[in-house]
Amino acid sequence: MTSSVSRASAIPAGCARITHGGHSADQERTSFDRIIVTAGSGGGTLTATSQSLTGTTADAGPDLADAASVLLLAALTGHHDAACSSWLENEGRSAETTLAASHNLSLNWSGVSVKRGALHIGIGSTRLTLQNGGASADATLSVSGVSVSGVATPSLMPSSATASFTLPQGELAPLMAATAGKTATLPAVHVTISSLTAQRDTIELSGNGRATLTGETDNTSASGHLEVRDISALIDHARQDGQMKIATALILARMVSHKADGGNTWDTTWEGGVLTVNGVPLPLK
């Protein structure tokens, strides 16, 4: 089925408004082009040249694809809206049911642009895959061609990143609701990160660990192992951006790091908005 008419989304009006250009769907694939997502309450806008979702039915696919676009916008802007909570949790339950039936999900966007106030993020392409791992959902996320402006530290932002992680299947819906929604009680979503890599020029950050996600940065906790290659360039970028507190924190981190294979490594924890590296709390705020 193919249509050039914008599809009316089931998303609550207070959460966001979404329009599409062309829309096509078959038994397990939904595709859109010219997607525009406008978040409620001044949450910014997302546009994308194209989006596709595979792994679910033609009936369920469009709403789940829309939910994913709202989540992508919220994840990049940090915007939360109570009007999104119930809808996103319902779409999350639909995704959990799909995974439990051994149907893996794959989402792709190309030509993404996100704007909120002075913030502007461009992404050439991004992909999220979710696979049935038994009791867990096994996820891989990748972004490439990233450009960022309108932030205090533009030169510290990676140009590409990939992450592989798992979480209990039953916690996928609460994670979706926490990412863009707002509830009175914060959920606790338990994520195991098997690998994380972020790159910019000669700088590469990699790591693994565990995190408890709530949707609010200061109420999120994490621990793990990190490695940075070319930390000197990272410090120089912080100085160029005029972020002397971050530059100082990176210098302290380098002092307490371990050297390995041309990089610097640390065991880290994030608790209550405080980053601790090899037992040393760093002044990021």
Side-chain angles (χ1 to χ4, degrees):
M1 177 180 66
T2 303
S3 172
S4 61
V5 178
S6 294
R7 187 186 64 86
S9 173
I11 183 171
C15 174
R17 183 172 60 87
I18 301 182
T19 62
H20 318 90
H23 166 218
S24 63
D26 57 29
Q27 188 172 359
E28 286 211 357
R29 180 182 177 88
T30 297
S31 299
F32 293 120
D33 58 24
R34 302 187 302 279
I35 303 98
I36 302 175
V37 183
T38 304
S41 305
T45 61
L46 176 148
T47 61
T49 303
S50 64
Q51 178 192 15
S52 65
L53 166 65
T54 59
T56 190
T57 66
D59 289 337
D63 288 340
L64 186 55
D66 281 349
S69 288
V70 171
L71 291 171
L72 180 60
L73 173 58
L76 293 172
T77 62
H79 178 71
H80 300 271
D81 195 319
C84 298
S85 299
S86 296
W87 174 67
L88 286 174
E89 185 165 2
N90 288 337
E91 290 302 319
R93 296 302 177 201
S94 175
E96 291 173 2
T97 299
T98 298
L99 290 175
S102 297
H103 293 274
N104 300 325
L105 296 169
S106 178
L107 281 148
N108 295 269
W109 293 263
S110 64
V112 175
S113 175
V114 170
K115 295 182 179 180
R116 186 185 185 194
L119 174 67
H120 182 203
I121 302 172
I123 302 175
S125 63
T126 183
R127 181 180 186 186
L128 172 66
T129 61
L130 292 166
Q131 296 183 317
N132 183 355
S136 67
D138 300 334
T140 302
L141 173 66
S142 63
V143 293
S144 62
V146 180
S147 61
V148 183
S149 62
V151 296
T153 56
S155 65
L156 297 186
M157 300 295 104
S159 57
S160 64
T162 60
S164 296
F165 57 95
T166 63
L167 69 158
Q169 275 195 28
E171 294 184 0
L172 179 59
L175 176 61
M176 290 174 62
T179 300
K182 182 185 293 185
T183 60
T185 303
L186 292 174
V189 179
H190 304 87
V191 176
T192 300
I193 304 163
S194 56
S195 66
L196 168 67
T197 303
Q199 294 178 301
R200 182 187 177 101
D201 301 325
T202 60
I203 303 165
E204 179 178 306
L205 180 148
S206 59
N208 55 77
R210 297 177 181 274
T212 301
L213 307 178
T214 66
E216 299 287 345
T217 302
D218 287 349
N219 290 298
T220 292
S221 61
S223 63
H225 182 76
L226 290 177
E227 177 176 343
V228 173
R229 293 183 180 274
D230 203 358
I231 191 173
S232 295
L234 191 62
I235 293 169
D236 288 341
H237 282 320
R239 287 170 170 159
Q240 290 166 13
D241 289 340
Q243 298 298 312
M244 300 312 297
K245 184 175 287 188
I246 293 177
T248 301
L250 290 169
I251 291 169
L252 290 173
R254 182 171 59 182
M255 291 174 61
V256 299
S257 70
H258 303 291
K259 294 290 185 68
D261 298 326
N264 298 79
T265 68
W266 305 266
D267 292 315
T268 64
T269 61
W270 173 268
E271 189 82 37
V274 176
L275 177 66
T276 301
V277 179
N278 288 352
V280 179
L282 299 183
L284 296 182
K285 293 187 175 181

